[in-house]
């Protein structure tokens, strides 16, 4: 078999040495009632040529971003990924390594994580970043749990403008009663400041806000942060790191923990996973932070090197008293983010942000001008915006799909209250010509 | 002076080669250097301060500025300071560091998989859904449990999902219960997960044969126990001979049996957790199903459960509908445990692997993994004691205790010395119940010759320990860096570069 280098003859020699007549003899500790007495009911093996054809057929049965013009966002964005990124993450020394338990032979992974952490700190304005988490949703849930540990309080307030799947993840994480979650309804596409202030009290561990929000709007982070701090709660801000080339960093508004979905930083959309859970906080809280963190130190010869550090927070040492059960990170995605940010630089990232914002505003204006859509929110937005369709949104999307467009995200799928609202995500990859053609199609509806 | 000496002297003279690592990407390049140019704006530009409502960034972040060639070389140097499965033998116990087939990497990068959006209409992603459905079916068959959720992003995430599912089941029966039993040989993630689920951890001792102490287990079981979390084969690499008695005792008090599937690579096609009496199982695709570990992730930790638990699984799961495939939400779902449907890129790799090797191939893989571990254990038998010495599964745990007693050389020193021989060390100091533990998992993808060389190297190291323990205390010598000061790392807490920290160009 192609992934087993031991030959049949060698297998016999090995069985001889071990002293069993056949491989079956190695499984005698398994009680008869727990043995599988038949072959697995699965298809047979395939040679690579047949396999490749089968896989290509499955891939071709999907209408991907190279065949459709997509305005879908909602946390996953089609930003351009420079060729150098995949060249780096395709290096076997990176992707076939495990988590860096032996730092002497893991300096590549460790230094790359340290550099990633440094870049996330630069983007968010925070002092400390961990090595990454699974995705934005789990990073948010972990932030809520961390805030509870820091404040020794057990109640969090979350704005309903946070991504619905992130709020659902948070609810699942705390279902056993570890935290009480109070959700505050949105008002005009942004957080309802007065209602949030009313919901905050001196038992509140954290206020959880997203900006850009799920609707694409930018929140009034300054006053929300002040409201959180007034009651001694931590201010947790979810952000889109790819836009931090143009958006003021959350730290400027007093964020204590910053989380985000980092997929846009050099990672494929890949049907929503794997993502990249960005997690950054204040240095004072590092011992309550979940997840891995790499630190810079020196070796016995005085050479600079990197190690996983502050691991006394972690499950392999602290077991049930650990800050989280996480025992990994999304290292390869963090590596991609590091390469992406290094390739872009501050200018490039600002350019991506500026182009995405300008094109989003261009499209928004043009769609409203068609008369088919109307504005519903007054709040400013960056690269994603929500409009109301004057008609049946599902029918509109079905028709435009026939012309090769994925015409935005129908928010009715998340909440009946948002039926009729359609959200459009724009990136630097949408050319003016593509946007103009799309607007023409909409006008012709 | 011989020619060789002269060449050595000249090399030493020229020997100002830059170390591979240590210089940060921030310290390379020049202010004006660029790798990617910002896009040309083809729509009217906007006043950011105005359109962003006063949220435009005032001060740019400090990011690297390098040309593509500097970037390529930087990461090539970092990569060359790394050790992966493609670099050499990686017998890291419990982690199943098997070879990661290249066709899987090709598959997940096809635009039809890499460039599809999770919110596309289902009729535009039928291939992706069919793949996920096929993977669910295959995992259910291997697990012997009928329902699968592909959502969890990692093994620990799968544990959390499985235990929350069990909790929801008990709660729905009006009986949430308070405690979860975990053996003393368990992975640290097990008790950490139990705590995250709001349960109290109760430790179960092991017996003298390395299995669960059944009598002790029975004493701990009562109607307040929600579940037993058990790794089987366990972390000693042993199959628990009493597994049927254990799971039925658990069920007798109305508790459920959760299987940590970390060691599934030993038993595919030979024994199924469902047939052992387990109600839930997580599967590490990055171990058993050959998806790469990625330097720590992404992996995937799908959960397979019994019919009774199926309604509580996190959604979405993939179901067959009207001759096609669709997302479905189990009726009493605990809710999602992450955004979107799963680590799809990892799922593509695992599916590709399963189709490559087929059902019989999975059985052959497990058989060879177990044979290779037993063969290696035999080769080392007289040099390295195995405390619970019986036929092992895909891994075994040796003790460095006697070596430490006779030479003062610790398992840590042995691990570091292995690096000088170009071998990644086994898992060390785990499980906690073995003194100076060294957990060896060769996997099925290593040749007989590699196993024999490893045994010879370990024997050589034992000799070195006896001859010159100082040599081992100082190891490694040939790695890009040597032993690192971990205490200083905590003390200095240097976890991010910043422009003011003095190491700027």
């Amino acid at each position: 078999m192609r992934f087993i280098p031991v030959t049949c003859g060698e297998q016999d020699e090995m069985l001889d040495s071990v002293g069993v007549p056949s491989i079956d003899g190695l499984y005698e500790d398994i009680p008869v009632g727990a043995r599988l007495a038949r072959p697995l009911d699965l298809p047979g093996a395939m040679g690579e040529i047949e396999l490749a054809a089968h896989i290509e057929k499955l891939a071709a049965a999907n209408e991907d971003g190279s065949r459709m013009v997509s305005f879908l966002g909602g946390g996953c964005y089609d930003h351009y990924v420079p060729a150098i990124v995949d060249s780096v993450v395709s290096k076997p020394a990176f992707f076939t390594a495990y988590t860096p338990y032996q730092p002497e032979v893991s300096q590549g992974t460790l230094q790359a994580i340290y550099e990633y952490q440094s870049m996330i700190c630069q983007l968010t304005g925070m002092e400390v970043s961990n090595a990454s988490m699974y995705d934005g949703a789990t990073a948010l849930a972990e932030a809520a749990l961390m805030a509870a540990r820091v404040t020794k309080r057990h109640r969090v307030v979350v704005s309903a403008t946070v991504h619905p799947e992130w709020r659902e993840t948070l609810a699942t994480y705390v279902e056993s009663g570890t935290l009480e979650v109070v959700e505050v309804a949105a008002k005009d596409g942004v957080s309802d400041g007065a209602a949030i202030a009313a919901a905050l009290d001196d038992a509140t561990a954290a206020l959880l806000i997203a900006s850009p929000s799920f609707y694409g709007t930018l929140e009034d982070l300054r006053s929300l942060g002040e409201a959180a701090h007034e009651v001694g709660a931590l201010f947790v801000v979810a952000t889109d790191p790819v836009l931090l080339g143009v958006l003021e960093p959350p730290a400027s508004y007093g964020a204590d923990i910053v989380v985000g979905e980092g997929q846009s930083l050099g990672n494929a959309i890949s049907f929503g996973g794997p993502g990249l859970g960005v997690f950054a906080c204040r240095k004072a809280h590092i011992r309550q932070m979940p997840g891995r963190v790499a630190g810079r130190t020196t070796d016995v010869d005085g050479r600079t090197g990197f190690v996983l550090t502050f691991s006394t927070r972690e499950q392999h040492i602290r077991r049930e008293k650990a800050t989280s059960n996480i025992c990994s990170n999304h290292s390869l995605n963090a590596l991609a983010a590091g390469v992406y940010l290094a390739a872009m630089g501050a200018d490039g990232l600002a350019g991506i942000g500026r182009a995405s914002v300008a094109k989003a505003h261009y499209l928004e204006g043009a769609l409203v001008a068609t008369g088919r859509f109307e504005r519903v929110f007054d709040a400013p937005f960056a690269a994603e915006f929500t409009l109301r369709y004057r008609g049946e949104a599902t029918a509109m999307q079905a028709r435009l799909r026939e012309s090769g467009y994925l015409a935005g995200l129908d928010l009715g799928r998340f909440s009946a209250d948002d039926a009729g609202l359609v959200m459009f995500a724009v990136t630097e990859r949408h050319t003016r010509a593509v946007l103009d053609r799309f607007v023409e199609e909409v006008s012709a509806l | 002076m011989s020619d060789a000496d002269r060449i050595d002297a000249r090399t030493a003279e020229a020997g100002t080669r830059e170390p591979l690592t240590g210089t940060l990407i921030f310290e390379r390049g020049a202010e004006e250097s660029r790798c990617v140019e910002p896009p040309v704006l083809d729509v009217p530009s906007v006043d950011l301060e105005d359109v962003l409502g006063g949220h435009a960034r005032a001060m740019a972040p400090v990011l690297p500025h390098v040309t593509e060639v500097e970037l390529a070389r930087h990461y090539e140097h970092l990569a060359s300071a790394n050790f992966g499965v493609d670099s050499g033998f990686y017998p890291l116990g419990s982690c199943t560091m098997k070879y990661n087939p290249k066709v899987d990497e090709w598959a997940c990068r096809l635009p039809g998989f890499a460039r599809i959006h999770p919110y596309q209409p289902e009729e535009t992603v039928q291939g992706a859904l069919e793949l996920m459905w096929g993977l669910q079916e295959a995992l259910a068959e291997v697990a012997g449990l009928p329902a699968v959720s592909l959502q969890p992003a990692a093994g620990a995430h799968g544990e959390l999902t499985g235990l929350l599912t069990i909790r929801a089941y008990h709660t729905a029966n009006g009986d949430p219960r308070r405690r979860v039993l975990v053996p003393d040989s368990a992975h640290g993630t097990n008790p950490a997960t139990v705590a995250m689920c709001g349960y109290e951890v109760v430790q179960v001792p092991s017996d003298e044969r390395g299995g669960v102490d059944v009598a002790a287990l029975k004493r701990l079981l009562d109607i307040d126990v929600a579940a037993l979390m058990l790794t089987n084969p366990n972390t000693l690499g042993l199959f628990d001979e009493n597994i049927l008695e254990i799971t039925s005792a658990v069920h007798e008090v109305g508790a459920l049996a959760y299987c940590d599937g970390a060691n599934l690579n030993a038993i595919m096609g030979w024994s199924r957790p469902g047939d052992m009496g387990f109600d839930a199982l997580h599967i590490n695709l990055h171990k058993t199903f050959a998806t790469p570990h990625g330097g720590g992730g992404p992996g995937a930790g799908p959960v397979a459960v019994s019919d009774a638990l199926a309604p509580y699984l996190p959604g979405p799961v993939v179901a067959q509908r009207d001759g096609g495939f669709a997302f479905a939400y189990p009726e009493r779902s605990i809710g999602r445990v992450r955004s979107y449907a799963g680590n799809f890129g990892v799922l593509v790799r695992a599916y590709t692997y399963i189709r490559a090797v087929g059902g019989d191939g999975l059985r052959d893989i497990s058989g060879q993994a177990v044979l290779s571990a037993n063969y290696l254990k035999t080769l080392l038998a007289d040099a390295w004691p195995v405390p619970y010495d019986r036929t092992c599964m895909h891994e075994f745990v040796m003790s460095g205790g006697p070596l430490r007693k006779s030479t003062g050389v610790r398992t840590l020193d042995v691990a570091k010395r292995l690096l000088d021989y170009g071998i990644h060390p086994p898992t060390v100091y785990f499980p906690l119940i073995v003194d100076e533990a060294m957990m060896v998992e060769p996997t099925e993808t290593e040749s007989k010759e590699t196993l024999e060389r490893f045994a010879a190297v370990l024997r050589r190291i034992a000799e070195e320990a006896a001859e010159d323990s100082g040599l081992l205390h100082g190891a490694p010598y040939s790695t890009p860096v040597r032993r690192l000061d971990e205490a200083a790392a905590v003390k200095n807490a240097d976890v991010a570069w910043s422009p003011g920290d003095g190491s700027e160009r």
Side-chain angles (χ1 to χ4, degrees):
Chain A
M1 194 223 261
R2 74 184 115 147
F3 306 129
I4 299 180
V6 172
T7 66
C8 293
E10 287 172 334
Q11 201 178 66
D12 289 341
E13 290 166 29
M14 291 164 80
L15 286 166
D16 264 358
S17 302
V18 173
V20 291
S22 70
I23 287 182
D24 292 59
L26 299 168
Y27 286 97
E28 278 175 3
D29 281 349
I30 303 183
V32 176
R35 287 189 210 171
L36 186 65
R38 58 166 177 83
L40 287 171
D41 184 15
L42 292 174
M46 290 171 105
E48 185 166 325
I49 295 169
E50 294 79 16
L51 177 67
H54 169 68
I55 296 293
E56 273 177 334
K57 195 173 150 214
L58 285 175
N62 304 316
E63 293 178 37
D64 64 73
S66 65
R67 290 155 61 184
M68 306 273 278
V69 173
S70 171
F71 294 102
L72 291 174
C76 266
Y77 303 100
D78 189 26
H79 288 283
Y80 181 72
V81 179
I84 182 80
V85 176
D86 201 47
S87 155
V88 172
V89 299
S90 299
K91 290 179 193 292
F94 282 127
F95 80 81
T96 73
Y98 188 44
T99 200
Y101 282 136
Q102 298 289 340
E104 297 88 345
V105 290
S106 310
Q107 287 300 298
T109 296
L110 286 161
Q111 183 171 332
I113 291 174
Y114 178 89
E115 291 174 348
Y116 160 83
Q117 291 170 182
S118 305
M119 294 180 204
I120 293 300
C121 289
Q122 281 298 317
L123 286 184
T124 59
M126 304 304 288
E127 295 165 303
V128 176
S129 157
N130 73 10
S132 74
M133 313 205 76
Y134 308 134
D135 67 357
T138 57
L140 182 80
E142 293 272 13
L145 294 170
M146 173 175 158
R149 290 192 296 275
V150 169
T151 60
K152 301 193 169 61
R153 299 175 179 183
H154 298 282
R155 177 178 186 271
V156 297
V157 175
V158 59
S159 171
T161 64
V162 171
H163 196 303
E165 295 191 359
W166 296 26
R167 282 181 282 131
E168 196 182 330
T169 301
L170 171 65
T172 309
Y173 264 59
V174 304
E175 195 168 70
S176 56
T178 42
L179 278 188
E180 180 199 347
V181 177
V182 179
E183 200 167 295
V184 178
K187 195 178 168 195
D188 304 327
V190 287
S191 297
D192 182 342
I196 281 175
L200 291 166
D201 63 21
D202 60 8
T204 306
L207 171 62
L208 278 45
I209 299 290
S211 186
S213 74
F214 176 64
Y215 298 105
T217 53
L218 298 173
E219 296 274 11
D220 182 3
L221 290 179
R222 191 167 311 282
S223 66
L224 290 165
E226 281 165 6
H229 289 153
E230 240 163 61
V231 297
L234 299 195
F235 187 37
V236 177
V237 177
T239 187
D240 182 356
V242 82
L243 295 177
L244 290 178
V246 292
L247 284 178
E248 189 62 10
S252 300
Y253 303 104
D256 299 291
I257 303 175
V258 176
V259 297
E261 175 50 66
Q263 170 268 325
S264 290
L265 303 174
N267 288 281
I269 290 179
S270 189
F271 211 30
L276 174 68
V278 169
F279 195 107
C281 67
R282 296 181 186 277
K283 206 165 199 168
H285 298 152
I286 189 169
R287 286 178 192 277
Q288 294 300 339
M289 187 173 69
R292 297 261 148 95
V293 60
R296 182 161 59 172
T297 184
T298 50
D299 75 353
V300 291
D301 296 329
R303 270 179 298 199
T304 297
F306 303 85
V307 290
L308 290 178
T309 188
F310 290 96
S311 34
T312 50
R313 299 164 296 120
E314 294 188 66
Q315 50 74 33
H316 59 285
I317 296 174
R318 294 275 283 168
R319 297 176 78 86
E320 65 267 28
K321 294 193 175 62
T323 55
S324 168
N325 74 339
I326 195 167
C327 70
S328 57
N329 63 332
H330 272 193
S331 219
L332 206 62
N333 305 98
L335 175 66
V339 181
Y340 176 84
L341 289 169
M344 287 298 166
D347 280 359
L349 194 68
I352 295 298
R354 204 176 299 119
S356 302
V357 170
K359 287 168 190 241
H361 283 78
Y362 178 78
L363 179 64
E364 195 256 4
L367 286 176
V368 171
T370 63
R372 307 278 176 205
F373 288 92
E374 62 183 340
R375 289 199 173 102
V376 279
F377 305 138
D378 290 333
F381 64 90
E384 196 168 18
F385 59 88
T386 301
L387 298 175
R388 181 180 302 285
Y389 182 64
R390 292 183 162 137
E392 185 58 52
T394 17
M396 174 271 293
Q397 289 182 318
R399 265 191 63 188
L400 288 171
R401 200 165 74 240
E402 283 165 24
S403 318
Y405 295 97
L406 292 170
L409 185 55
D410 178 357
L411 297 188
R413 71 183 272 166
F414 299 98
S415 158
D417 295 346
D418 289 342
L421 299 187
V422 182
M423 187 160 72
F424 292 87
V426 182
T427 74
E428 76 285 357
R429 299 185 82 168
H430 291 104
T431 62
R432 180 177 191 155
V434 162
L435 298 178
D436 288 344
R437 262 202 310 278
F438 176 65
V439 172
E440 275 168 38
E441 293 277 353
V442 170
S443 305
L445 281 170
Chain B
M1 214 184 203
S2 72
D3 278 359
D5 287 342
R6 260 194 297 276
I7 290 165
D8 274 356
R10 277 186 207 158
T11 308
E13 214 177 277
T16 49
R17 219 171 96 165
E18 192 197 0
L20 292 171
T21 58
T23 303
L24 299 175
I25 188 73
F26 293 93
E27 297 159 346
R28 299 190 184 280
E31 197 64 53
E32 72 265 28
S33 299
R34 296 285 179 274
C35 177
V36 176
E37 295 297 330
V40 176
L41 199 58
D42 57 359
V43 298
S45 70
V46 290
D47 177 349
L48 286 179
E49 194 53 32
D50 178 34
V51 301
L52 299 177
H55 295 292
R57 187 159 189 143
M59 262 178 57
V62 182
L63 292 175
H65 20 64
V66 287
T67 56
E68 184 170 324
V69 59
E70 288 161 309
L71 192 56
R73 228 165 246 166
H74 178 76
Y75 283 103
E76 177 58 22
H77 287 177
L78 293 193
S80 67
N82 241 20
F83 190 100
V85 173
D86 283 10
S87 317
F89 189 37
Y90 210 132
L92 190 66
S94 188
C95 300
T96 314
M97 301 302 292
K98 60 167 74 176
Y99 176 72
N100 313 126
K102 300 296 179 263
V103 68
D104 302 356
E105 298 304 309
W106 164 82
C108 71
R109 286 171 170 80
L110 290 170
F113 295 138
R115 287 195 70 189
I116 51 173
H117 193 283
Y119 295 142
Q120 280 186 224
E122 285 169 358
E123 55 271 31
T124 67
V125 287
Q126 283 297 302
L129 294 175
E130 183 180 344
L131 181 147
M132 290 175 74
W133 183 81
L135 182 59
Q136 285 175 190
E137 292 289 297
L139 296 179
E141 170 66 2
V142 170
L145 290 162
V148 172
S149 169
L150 300 173
Q151 250 201 22
H157 205 214
E159 290 177 28
L160 180 71
T161 305
L163 213 52
L164 286 173
T165 303
I166 287 172
R167 188 179 181 101
Y169 165 87
H170 284 309
T171 305
N173 293 336
D175 182 18
R177 304 186 170 217
R178 289 190 304 138
R179 291 195 288 278
V180 172
L181 307 184
V182 178
D184 53 6
S185 59
H187 294 116
T189 51
N190 291 177
T193 300
V194 171
M196 275 181 93
C197 292
Y199 284 121
E200 186 189 324
V201 182
V202 178
Q203 194 159 297
V204 185
S206 301
D207 68 10
E208 72 285 353
R209 282 183 57 78
V212 170
D213 182 333
V214 179
L217 171 72
K218 286 182 174 167
R219 279 195 298 277
L220 293 169
L221 280 170
D222 62 33
I223 54 162
D224 231 4
V225 172
L228 167 72
M229 265 186 124
L230 186 64
T231 310
N232 191 38
N234 69 18
T235 58
L236 293 165
L238 303 174
F239 194 97
D240 204 308
E241 305 144 297
N242 304 314
I243 190 62
L244 296 174
E245 191 185 348
I246 290 167
T247 53
S248 76
V250 167
H251 290 152
E252 258 166 48
V253 296
L256 297 180
Y258 181 89
C259 185
D260 179 327
N263 295 338
L264 193 63
N265 202 47
I267 55 170
M268 288 185 291
W270 297 89
S271 179
R272 308 191 303 170
D275 300 337
M276 298 172 204
F278 284 106
D279 305 282
L281 160 83
H282 81 261
I283 300 168
N284 301 281
L285 297 186
H286 46 286
K287 297 181 181 178
T288 312
F289 296 98
T291 76
H293 283 71
V303 169
V305 299
S306 64
D307 282 320
L309 289 176
Y312 302 95
L313 279 179
V317 295
V318 179
Q320 276 184 305
R321 197 180 294 157
D322 308 328
F325 300 90
F327 280 129
Y329 296 84
E331 57 182 316
R332 312 179 81 166
S333 174
I334 58 166
R336 49 176 62 254
V337 293
R338 55 162 301 150
S339 51
Y340 317 119
N343 277 355
F344 181 73
V346 178
L347 307 181
V348 172
R349 291 173 172 98
Y351 175 86
T352 306
Y353 175 73
I354 290 171
R355 294 306 306 265
V357 301
D360 293 344
L362 292 176
R363 183 180 157 98
D364 292 344
I365 282 164
S366 286
Q368 184 60 50
V370 171
L371 176 57
S372 292
N374 278 285
Y375 180 62
L376 193 51
K377 185 160 74 76
T378 305
L379 293 179
L380 289 164
D382 52 331
W384 291 86
V386 172
Y388 300 90
D389 193 10
R390 51 189 178 94
T391 302
C392 67
M393 291 281 101
H394 65 312
E395 66 189 4
F396 58 97
V397 180
M398 309 187 298
S399 172
L403 186 76
R404 184 181 184 186
K405 220 161 277 165
S406 61
T407 66
V409 167
R410 301 193 58 197
T411 283
L412 181 74
D413 303 318
V414 174
K416 298 305 180 195
R417 186 61 178 152
L418 276 167
L419 298 173
D420 285 329
Y421 286 96
I423 293 170
H424 194 286
T427 295
V428 293
Y429 298 101
F430 183 80
L432 309 176
I433 56 172
V434 171
D435 182 32
E436 297 285 322
M438 227 190 310
M439 183 194 234
V440 185
E441 180 181 7
T443 84
E444 74 282 1
T445 64
E446 299 300 332
S447 68
K448 180 164 173 279
E449 191 189 348
T450 299
L451 303 179
E452 287 161 359
R453 174 166 184 269
F454 176 66
V457 166
L458 265 185
R459 286 169 172 283
R460 175 78 199 112
I461 289 175
E463 285 164 21
E464 287 176 351
E467 290 158 10
D468 177 9
S469 57
L471 176 77
L472 272 74
H473 294 310
Y477 302 95
S478 60
T479 45
V481 294
R482 295 179 57 211
R483 286 194 208 193
L484 290 142
D485 192 341
E486 298 191 11
V490 174
K491 187 164 160 271
N492 300 332
D494 175 2
V495 293
W497 170 91
S498 67
D501 78 352
S503 62
E504 200 187 9
R505 190 183 58 257

